[in-house]
Amino acid sequence: QVQLVESGGGLVQAGGSLRLSCAASGASGSTFRLYIMRWYRQAPGKQRELVASIRSSGSTNYANYADSVKDRFSISRANAKNTVYLQMNSLKPEDTAVYYCNANLGTINIWGQGTQVTVSS
């Protein structure tokens, strides 16, 4: 059973940076790379939204971003470490949310417990 654990959230001033990590346990490195990994976020009173996704194909990783974070956030993965990252730069107060890691493989969807990111103005 694959489990995801996020870390790296916290309180930061506007314009600052944070790096979130999501570590997957229970999966071999060769299996982990098959998962499409996504970061979502949910702000108070709002629906959960997709922030970024990354998939591996051979030796190449393909990433996609929500328009609201494009050019500020960067998603990456280290398949040998069963870990995916979200580098967040130029943070804005509207980035404040609980950030969730998701692993998807076919009909399998696995969620982490979330990590709080708070950006003060």
Side-chain angles (χ1 to χ4, degrees):
Q1 181 76 17
V2 176
Q3 293 184 319
L4 303 176
V5 178
E6 301 101 331
S7 61
L11 174 64
V12 63
Q13 288 189 333
S17 298
L18 282 174
R19 188 195 197 201
L20 305 183
S21 299
C22 171
S25 61
S28 66
S30 60
T31 301
F32 177 77
R33 71 187 326 278
L34 299 177
Y35 284 84
I36 300 173
M37 301 300 296
R38 298 181 174 97
W39 284 98
Y40 287 81
R41 67 185 181 186
Q42 188 165 20
K46 294 189 177 181
Q47 289 188 329
R48 191 170 295 190
E49 64 171 343
L50 177 63
V51 174
S53 65
I54 188 167
R55 65 178 177 90
S56 296
S57 180
S59 60
T60 303
N61 292 321
Y62 297 91
N64 284 287
Y65 301 92
D67 287 343
S68 58
V69 306
K70 203 170 291 185
D71 299 328
R72 298 189 297 122
F73 289 12
S74 178
I75 188 171
S76 61
R77 65 191 297 164
N79 290 329
K81 297 181 178 180
N82 284 12
T83 303
V84 64
Y85 305 96
L86 185 68
Q87 178 66 44
M88 305 185 295
N89 300 325
S90 302
L91 282 162
K92 304 175 181 180
E94 50 263 44
D95 294 318
T96 295
V98 178
Y99 284 71
Y100 296 92
C101 179
N102 170 269
N104 169 241
L105 178 61
T107 58
I108 299 172
N109 260 305
I110 303 164
W111 292 90
Q113 83 288 350
T115 185
Q116 176 71 45
V117 171
T118 303
V119 184
S120 63
S121 56

